[in-house]
Amino acid sequence: MDSDAWDERYASAPELVWTAEPNRFVVEEVAGLSPGRAIDLAAGEGRNAVWLAQQGWEVTAVDFSAVAVERGRELARQRDVNVDWQVADVTEYKPPADGFDLVLIAYLHLPAAEIATVLSHARDAVRAGGRVLVVGHDLANLSGGTGGPRDPDVLLAPEAVVKELPGLRIRRAETARRPVTVEGRAVDALDTVVVAERP
């Protein structure tokens, strides 16, 4: 989907398309870190960016949907935090090198060549001692989980993400279960979670 299609999707929903609460794996991996500078690439409606700002991080949030960014701004206003919002396509946007203590990519699903570009930019943007955190629907979700895209070409796998982060120390790379409720019953979504640190 291009930015116009995402704008339409967000604009057609009276409320947030996704929850206002942060992703569980983002909370799990970030909660114990000392706040610094963070960038959320493909931030959508800003739930993770706003949560990071609430934890004391100086946050830049980037998404190519102007409608999503405006919803993120509103969420930040409601939560009384500051986020630097940028409307840009993360496949073309290049964050400053060595500019961030945390680079977050959550639920960005692109063909291999495009996600490789974004991961390369993420790797370059993280400072020494900083972390890249990638979370997204795992390829295994097609056969053993629920939700997410049905196109295997855009789903993540831990080993594929790790391959695009050379030079970083891998702290976590796994397919993780995320409990969700579908039609009143508890089921699991399967997510790739990768945490990589610049030495």
Side-chain angles (χ1 to χ4, degrees), residues 24 35 39 95 107 116 127 130 135 148 158 178 188:
R24 63 182 294 140
I39 187 165
Y107 300 96
R127 293 174 174 154
V135 180
R178 177 171 47 89
D188 284 335

Side-chain angles (χ1 to χ4, degrees), residues 56-154:
W57 290 80
E58 181 186 337
V59 185
T60 299
V62 183
D63 199 275
F64 70 175
S65 168
V67 175
V69 165
E70 188 48 47
R71 287 192 170 188
R73 283 191 178 109
E74 179 56 32
L75 182 60
R77 279 192 289 269
Q78 290 171 9
R79 304 278 172 96
D80 195 28
V81 292
N82 291 317
V83 174
D84 175 21
W85 300 97
Q86 305 280 333
V87 178
D89 184 336
V90 295
T91 63
E92 299 169 1
Y93 174 86
K94 206 162 179 195
D98 302 318
F100 299 93
D101 303 289
L102 176 68
V103 180
L104 172 61
I105 301 168
Y107 300 96
L108 175 63
H109 295 280
L110 298 169
E114 292 180 29
I115 197 73
T117 296
V118 177
L119 289 168
S120 175
H121 292 165
R123 187 192 70 214
D124 292 344
V126 70
R127 293 174 174 154
R131 296 183 184 186
V132 174
L133 171 56
V134 181
V135 180
H137 297 289
D138 194 284
L139 182 60
N141 218 37
L142 288 178
S143 56
T146 188
R150 306 319 291 167
D151 179 356
D153 293 334
V154 301

Side-chain angles (χ1 to χ4, degrees), residues 148-165:
R150 306 319 291 167
D151 179 356
D153 293 334
V154 301
L155 292 169
L156 301 179
E159 59 277 11
V161 173
V162 166
K163 185 175 132 232
E164 302 300 337
L165 298 172

